[in-house]
Amino acid sequence: MDRKETSVLLIYTGGTIGMIENSKTGALESFNYESMVHHVPELGKLNFNIDTVQFEPPIDSSDMHPAIWCRLASIIAEKYDDYTGFVVLHGTDTMAYTASALSFMLRNLTKPVILTGAQLPIKEIRTDGKENLLTSLEIAAAQIDGKPIVREVCVFFENHLMRGNRTTKINAENFNAFHSCNYPNLAEAGIHIKYENAYMLSPEEGKGMTLQNKYDSNVAILSLFPGIQEAIVKAVLETPGLKGVILKTFGSGNAPHLDFLMKYLKAATDRGIIIVNVTQCLEGMVEMDRYESGRQLLEAGVVCGKDMTIEAALTKLMILLGLNYTTEEIREQMTVSFAGELS
Ligand code: ASP
């Protein structure tokens, strides 16, 4: 395809990249896309077409919600055939959740969906937003033999292209804000953009992208810690309407030997609540039969989350719960890779 026929859809949801200081309070708040691009004249030099969709008003990503993931996924699905690739400008705070959710909502994706943002607003002299935006657009437009090089949902930040559902925000200060936990980066941007083809998803062509935009957010995250009280465990696991829990465990999936913990976990799984074991560690894998302290969770009916990030496990669970699967099917699917989210 001719570069001039190449088109990227840029979706601006909000985030620091497009924020400006409130003159009275000094706090950062979102401003519109037109003013933002005014600070990036380089956009006009790219030799492919860029169309834009703007969220009105732009949002701080702390206000992100599954309904907005559905809206985003629907925009991409509606315009899927018209564009070579998609770039989503998004706040960094919950970018890893949105990237994970989109990777489960856009099934059989064969085009790039690149999420990016910035730690410093684009109007600041030292902004990281310009590079992030321009390189993300280049990646979304990149093709070989008429086919997109990247065919999955990614996060691009500070020179690294990462599988979106493997990322976690790890730094609130540095430009290097994201880490791909348990999976190598998919590309590095220096003088050239070096793609690691061996690590990228190679989805089957011709199946057609399908949109899966249902969810059920009756879920919770229960993080274990030394000294956790029975009342906390009971309150979380007996929450009315609760359907799924991400249990954040120690190390390779271990939990303290507490009778009350096992009692409430077992009672919850017996009631059909799906409990998924994900480690509190940034890297490494849950192996529930490695220690007795992990094995007891298996006996209580807890599902192994392997090496999924919290963001991937939580969004996957919400989306599976939104479908008409049986509890057993969801338990099974939580352990199988949909979009490269687990090893
Ligand atoms: N609070 C901002 C947001 O997530 C932070 C950022 O964009 O870096 O929208």
Side-chain angles (χ1 to χ4, degrees):
M1 200 192 272
D2 190 293
R3 288 284 276 185
K4 290 200 190 79
E5 288 174 34
T6 305
S7 275
V8 174
L9 185 66
L10 176 61
I11 306 170
Y12 173 55
T13 69
T16 293
I17 192 162
M19 284 183 176
I20 195 165
E21 246 176 53
N22 179 305
S23 51
K24 287 189 193 129
T25 64
L28 288 173
E29 54 187 38
S30 299
F31 72 121
N32 74 16
Y33 176 75
E34 295 304 321
S35 336
M36 192 188 77
V37 294
H38 172 73
H39 295 277
V40 197
E42 294 87 345
L43 283 171
K45 292 191 193 153
L46 295 170
N47 62 347
F48 50 85
N49 181 52
I50 302 168
D51 291 332
T52 58
V53 171
Q54 179 183 337
F55 276 37
E56 199 52 73
I59 57 165
D60 183 302
S61 80
S62 333
D63 289 322
M64 198 36 81
H65 185 276
I68 311 179
W69 300 335
C70 293
R71 184 172 155 208
L72 249 179
S74 300
I75 294 172
I76 295 169
E78 256 169 49
K79 313 258 182 188
Y80 192 68
D81 293 334
D82 303 339
Y83 292 94
T84 316
F86 300 82
V87 172
V88 179
L89 292 180
H90 194 289
T92 59
D93 289 347
T94 62
M95 191 185 291
Y97 288 92
T98 301
S100 299
L102 289 179
S103 79
F104 304 127
M105 289 179 154
L106 302 167
R107 311 302 299 271
N108 309 319
L109 188 69
T110 51
K111 294 187 177 184
V113 175
I114 315 295
L115 283 88
T116 194
Q119 293 281 59
L120 268 183
I122 213 142
K123 64 174 281 293
E124 300 286 333
I125 292 172
R126 290 179 50 251
T127 184
D128 51 333
K130 260 191 200 182
E131 288 308 316
N132 287 347
L133 169 59
L134 293 167
T135 310
S136 295
L137 286 165
E138 281 285 350
I139 292 171
Q143 297 172 80
I144 282 187
D145 300 331
K147 283 195 188 140
I149 297 180
V150 177
R151 291 174 292 163
E152 54 183 292
V153 178
C154 296
V155 166
F156 179 80
F157 223 85
E158 182 68 356
N159 304 328
H160 311 304
L161 183 72
M162 296 160 273
R163 177 166 298 156
N165 58 32
R166 294 287 192 156
T167 58
T168 290
K169 183 174 179 182
I170 50 149
N171 205 310
E173 164 72 21
N174 290 356
F175 289 151
N176 210 346
F178 287 88
H179 179 56
S180 172
C181 308
N182 294 317
Y183 202 75
N185 292 344
L186 304 182
E188 296 297 334
I191 292 175
H192 303 286
I193 301 175
K194 287 200 182 129
Y195 293 97
E196 297 292 345
N197 294 319
Y199 297 132
M200 290 199 254
L201 289 179
S202 2
E204 232 179 277
E205 295 289 336
K207 265 183 144 182
M209 199 275 287
T210 49
L211 175 64
Q212 198 319 97
N213 66 352
K214 294 200 174 65
Y215 68 90
D216 187 332
S217 54
N218 280 299
V219 294
I221 298 176
L222 176 59
S223 192
L224 299 179
F225 56 89
I228 192 166
Q229 294 286 313
E230 179 167 354
I232 300 290
V233 173
K234 181 177 189 310
V236 174
L237 295 177
E238 292 191 345
T239 302
L242 186 71
K243 295 192 181 145
V245 176
I246 304 302
L247 184 68
K248 284 179 75 175
T249 55
F250 307 131
S252 55
N254 304 315
H257 287 93
L258 295 169
D259 289 345
F260 69 79
L261 179 62
M262 292 311 132
K263 181 181 87 181
Y264 288 113
L265 286 172
K266 174 88 174 52
T269 57
D270 286 349
R271 292 198 304 280
I273 294 173
I274 296 146
I275 305 183
V276 185
N277 187 347
V278 178
T279 176
Q280 294 176 15
C281 298
L282 265 187
E283 294 188 356
M285 163 90 90
V286 167
E287 291 174 274
M288 288 163 78
D289 46 10
R290 187 146 171 220
Y291 295 95
E292 179 43 40
S293 44
R295 180 178 282 274
Q296 54 173 350
L297 293 175
L298 265 184
E299 283 155 16
V302 174
V303 178
C304 181
K306 300 187 181 174
D307 59 352
M308 272 188 288
T309 60
I310 299 294
E311 294 88 336
L314 187 84
T315 54
K316 184 173 174 180
L317 188 55
M318 281 189 193
I319 289 162
L320 286 172
L321 285 168
L323 297 167
N324 288 327
Y325 288 125
T326 63
T327 303
E328 241 352 276
E329 283 167 336
I330 298 179
R331 288 171 58 84
E332 165 72 28
Q333 300 217 27
M334 283 306 290
T335 65
V336 178
S337 169
F338 275 26
E341 74 278 13
L342 54 81
S343 305

